[in-house]
Amino acid sequence: MNSNLTNEEIEKKIDDYSNDPAKMWELINFYIKKSKKENNTEALFYAYRYASITSTYPLNLKYADSALITGKKSKIKKILLDAYLNRGNINMSEEFYQKALDDVLVANKLSQESGDAYIFNKTIYYIAQNKIYLGQYEDANKELFTCLKFFKDNLQKKTSLGKNYEVYYIYSLMSLIDSNTKLGQFQENKILLKEAFDYLQKNKLTQYIPYFISSEGTDAYYSQDYDTAISKFSEAIRLYNDQWEHNTEVFYLGLSYWNTGKKKLAIKYLEEIDKHYNKTKKLDPQFRSAYEVLIKYYNSTGNKEKQLEYINKLMILDRSYEKNYKYLYGRIVKEYDTKKLVSEKNRIESTLENQRIIFISLVTILVIGFLLFGYRIQKEKQNYKKRFEEIIAQQNKIEKEEDKLITASLDYEHQQKFDYEFYNKIPGLNPVFVENILKQLEIFENENKFLDSQVSQKSLSEELGTNSTYFSKIINTYKGKNFALYISDLRLDFIIDHLKNDMKYINKDVKELASIAGFSSAENFSDNFRRKFDLKPSVFIKLMKDKL
């Protein structure tokens, strides 16, 4: 790291690496160490502030506390009020709204005393955020118009140490659009959205574009244009390139799909909101209706367990909202009020008690069934393995016998003896003729001509110089099977031999193997494989792989 970097240059680099957490943290830690070494409390405050807004709970609050302690030590009023504002912002992000408001109000008072217009307007922005959270959108709008004008008028100052007019101009625009949406002021938003997109594209601030695309989605949702809403929220999620969860988009996608009748898809999105609650034990009241939809859906599917789970969660959330946000709680439009939830909870619990008895009985039966099924499967696996080993042993035996036959054949050729009795098993057929046919069949087998899918009893008998009737008798007598089985078995032995000795065959599927062996289809191949080896080819291949 270049130790000659000015503090302003360090902050600029931190901002530039907003999408690369590792490099960003390297710079933040360098900033903290450099500030301590130089005993520069002002720079140390800004370094801690960067650490607080970049880290996650509970580290973000610890860094915010460190920034406030540094601010107090500095005895510089503008830093102290910025420290209170920063901690208020962190508390707000963690949904500690009362603590957040306390800190913001202290910062607001200090900023008025000091005459620091930048910090004063930041406090106005954060007070507006509290009002948005509490549903006081008209009051929030008044505050947002004030701070938006200030940050917009000072955009030419860009970024200076501890100040970022551009970022708060963008944040103020975003919040005002959100507040307008809740008030149904969609025409005003068209103008603001155009202003936002024009500014972001002109200044190449593409990282903020998906947030405003999401705002377009929210406007579309509240205008009941659900298809456009789905398109905008989906696009925003694809474009986000940061570490944050985007629950707002997920929530509105769920509601949009619900309103277009795609209920199963809607539930997948809304259950993501529930996962967020399970992880954090906190939930923004605007997402409350997700649980109403989940309750309604699982009631329609007859899933009482899920329905009861979501009823219990909604009751816990409502107690929290009523206790901590009385003003907001009274304004929430609730399809399920407390009395209705309690009544539904009692009814479901009574139903579940009866179902539990039936369930235990069914489970007992199922466990016995599963045990028997498991035993059967295990037995079947053992049989498969035993059959596989038998096939391998049988093939090894065939190979040895073939070696003996080759040796015997060489001896025979050397001795030039003719086994009259062996070739005289078919009445009416000349033994010499039979010998000739069998020798040609031996060549046919050795040259793997049986792999030709077009080979037939008629075509082969003609090729060997005999008729189909004589040829059939020779096959049945000397091969111990009819022609179809004779060809199929040759093909199967060929495949087994290659599965044993050639790795590339192991990785082929059944259809490919069937084609290589000359079978008309994978089904024909599988049927013949099971007939000859009493095992599916797919099972044999798996066991062959396990053996390797």
Side-chain angles (χ1 to χ4, degrees):
M1 188 70 64
N2 186 354
S3 59
N4 294 322
L5 287 171
T6 66
N7 293 332
E8 287 84 353
E9 288 171 335
I10 294 171
E11 290 197 0
K12 177 67 170 61
K13 283 185 175 291
I14 291 171
D15 291 335
D16 289 343
Y17 285 123
S18 60
N19 292 325
D20 190 339
K23 288 184 178 178
M24 185 169 58
W25 269 104
E26 184 182 348
L27 283 161
I28 290 171
N29 287 323
F30 172 72
Y31 196 9
I32 291 170
K33 289 177 183 176
K34 180 176 181 291
S35 302
K36 285 181 177 179
K37 185 178 179 181
E38 295 172 354
N39 199 25
N40 186 338
T41 53
E42 183 177 5
L44 182 59
F45 160 72
Y46 291 130
Y48 278 136
R49 189 179 69 173
Y50 265 112
S52 68
I53 63 178
T54 307
S55 53
T56 55
Y57 183 82
L59 273 178
N60 54 356
L61 280 173
K62 288 182 179 179
Y63 279 122
D65 286 338
S66 296
L68 182 57
I69 291 167
T70 304
K72 288 177 179 178
K73 285 181 180 178
S74 74
K75 297 182 180 179
I76 302 171
K77 190 168 283 188
K78 70 169 186 175
I79 292 179
L80 181 59
L81 65 88
D82 203 353
Y84 274 110
L85 183 59
N86 179 65
R87 194 173 70 174
N89 182 26
I90 300 299
N91 274 316
M92 192 178 297
S93 70
E94 296 301 332
E95 300 179 12
F96 301 135
Y97 285 90
Q98 189 55 54
K99 290 180 179 179
L101 187 57
D102 291 343
D103 282 339
V104 171
L105 290 174
V106 171
N108 181 267
K109 182 181 177 183
L110 289 171
S111 66
Q112 291 182 63
E113 292 173 0
S114 69
D116 189 323
Y118 176 78
I119 299 297
F120 176 75
N121 279 277
K122 278 179 68 174
T123 64
I124 295 297
Y125 169 80
Y126 286 114
I127 289 169
Q129 300 314 298
N130 254 280
K131 289 184 177 180
I132 287 173
Y133 181 82
L134 294 172
Q136 301 170 347
Y137 301 114
E138 289 179 359
D139 290 344
N141 269 21
K142 294 173 185 175
E143 309 286 6
L144 289 167
F145 275 120
T146 299
C147 61
L148 176 63
K149 184 178 185 307
F150 172 79
F151 293 121
K152 186 176 181 179
D153 289 345
N154 287 276
L155 277 173
Q156 73 279 2
K157 294 181 181 178
K158 293 291 181 182
T159 302
S160 59
L161 186 60
K163 297 181 180 180
N164 198 328
Y165 296 95
E166 185 174 72
V167 164
Y168 280 93
Y169 163 64
I170 294 167
Y171 287 174
S172 300
L173 258 179
M174 207 180 297
S175 291
L176 183 56
I177 291 168
D178 178 47
S179 184
N180 279 341
T181 300
K182 301 304 192 304
L183 292 169
Q185 296 173 355
F186 305 124
Q187 287 304 316
E188 288 88 335
N189 274 354
K190 284 184 179 178
I191 298 167
L192 293 172
L193 282 163
K194 184 178 185 307
E195 178 183 338
F197 286 123
D198 287 347
Y199 182 82
L200 295 175
Q201 286 163 0
K202 180 182 176 182
N203 292 277
K204 298 181 180 178
L205 297 167
T206 55
Q207 69 269 30
Y208 295 107
I209 286 177
Y211 290 92
F212 289 95
I213 292 173
S214 178
S215 295
E216 289 182 309
T218 314
D219 268 8
Y221 174 81
Y222 282 102
S223 300
Q224 298 183 1
D225 183 359
Y226 301 118
D227 289 335
T228 299
I230 289 166
S231 173
K232 293 294 181 181
F233 290 128
S234 300
E235 183 183 0
I237 287 174
R238 284 196 304 272
L239 291 175
Y240 283 128
N241 184 24
D242 55 37
Q243 57 185 317
W244 311 115
E245 292 181 338
H246 293 283
N247 289 320
T248 299
E249 289 77 10
V250 171
F251 171 71
Y252 281 112
L253 273 170
L255 292 189
S256 298
Y257 280 120
W258 181 263
N259 282 296
T260 56
K262 296 178 180 177
K263 296 188 175 182
K264 287 184 178 179
L265 187 54
I267 294 305
K268 286 184 179 180
Y269 281 99
L270 296 178
E271 284 180 336
E272 289 299 312
I273 300 298
D274 178 54
K275 287 177 185 176
H276 170 77
Y277 172 68
N278 290 337
K279 184 168 66 175
T280 64
K281 298 304 174 189
K282 294 181 292 185
L283 193 72
D284 191 314
Q286 70 167 317
F287 300 144
R288 181 190 182 278
S289 61
Y291 283 97
E292 294 185 335
V293 174
L294 288 166
I295 291 166
K296 191 185 298 183
Y297 174 76
Y298 283 109
N299 179 40
S300 70
T301 63
N303 190 331
K304 301 299 181 187
E305 294 281 0
K306 279 286 186 184
Q307 192 183 353
L308 183 60
E309 176 190 339
Y310 292 127
I311 284 174
N312 285 330
K313 284 181 178 177
L314 185 51
M315 289 176 72
I316 292 167
L317 281 168
D318 278 352
R319 284 197 293 271
S320 171
Y321 296 151
E322 189 173 16
K323 177 182 176 182
N324 297 309
Y325 311 106
K326 291 180 181 178
Y327 178 82
L328 172 64
Y329 185 74
R331 294 182 58 171
I332 294 176
V333 178
K334 300 182 286 291
E335 185 170 336
Y336 291 94
D337 59 22
T338 304
K339 287 183 180 178
K340 189 174 179 181
L341 284 171
V342 171
S343 172
E344 188 71 3
K345 173 183 164 74
N346 291 337
R347 185 187 68 78
I348 292 171
E349 285 178 339
S350 175
T351 303
L352 286 174
E353 185 57 39
N354 294 330
Q355 289 179 348
R356 204 165 279 119
I357 296 168
I358 299 169
F359 176 74
I360 291 169
S361 302
L362 287 173
V363 166
T364 304
I365 295 167
L366 284 172
V367 167
I368 294 170
F370 277 126
L371 288 172
L372 290 171
F373 181 72
Y375 174 76
R376 182 183 169 188
I377 292 294
Q378 188 61 32
K379 196 73 177 171
E380 196 172 68
K381 284 182 178 178
Q382 290 174 355
N383 289 337
Y384 282 160
K385 192 172 181 181
K386 182 181 177 183
R387 187 69 196 112
F388 171 78
E389 289 170 352
E390 287 173 353
I391 292 168
I392 296 298
Q394 184 181 356
Q395 291 302 114
N396 290 338
K397 185 179 177 183
I398 289 170
E399 287 174 6
K400 288 179 181 178
E401 287 175 353
E402 285 176 349
D403 290 341
K404 287 180 182 178
L405 283 171
I406 291 168
T407 304
S409 175
L410 291 171
D411 290 344
Y412 167 75
E413 289 175 5
H414 179 70
Q415 295 169 12
Q416 292 293 310
K417 290 183 179 179
F418 180 73
D419 190 343
Y420 182 84
E421 289 185 13
F422 178 76
Y423 295 113
N424 195 34
K425 291 180 181 179
I426 304 172
L429 284 183
N430 188 323
V432 175
F433 170 76
V434 171
E435 180 196 28
N436 179 50
I437 296 296
L438 289 175
K439 279 187 176 182
Q440 289 187 78
L441 277 177
E442 187 179 341
I443 294 169
F444 169 79
E445 293 174 13
N446 290 338
E447 293 180 354
N448 296 332
K449 290 185 177 181
F450 51 81
L451 298 178
D452 182 358
S453 61
Q454 301 302 314
V455 71
S456 66
Q457 181 173 311
K458 184 175 182 299
S459 66
L460 186 56
S461 63
E462 289 175 356
E463 185 181 331
L464 300 184
T466 183
N467 61 46
S468 187
T469 304
Y470 291 159
F471 185 57
S472 176
K473 287 181 180 180
I474 292 170
I475 292 292
N476 277 279
T477 302
Y478 288 93
K479 301 299 179 180
K481 60 194 81 172
N482 64 32
F483 179 79
L485 291 183
Y486 164 66
I487 293 296
S488 291
D489 286 354
L490 285 173
R491 290 169 173 173
L492 292 170
D493 288 337
F494 173 86
I495 289 297
I496 290 288
D497 181 61
H498 281 72
L499 286 171
K500 277 173 54 188
N501 300 309
D502 192 338
M503 278 296 296
K504 71 180 181 183
Y505 279 79
I506 289 286
N507 296 314
K508 294 182 184 297
D509 60 27
V510 172
K511 189 175 180 180
E512 286 181 287
L513 294 174
S515 177
I516 290 168
F519 285 98
S520 59
S521 67
E523 290 76 18
N524 190 314
F525 171 61
S526 296
D527 289 345
N528 275 283
F529 199 99
R530 284 198 296 270
R531 169 193 58 78
K532 181 172 173 62
F533 300 118
D534 193 23
L535 200 66
K536 290 181 181 179
S538 56
V539 174
F540 181 87
I541 292 167
K542 182 183 181 304
L543 292 169
M544 198 74 219
K545 286 179 179 178
D546 293 343
K547 185 182 178 184
L548 295 176

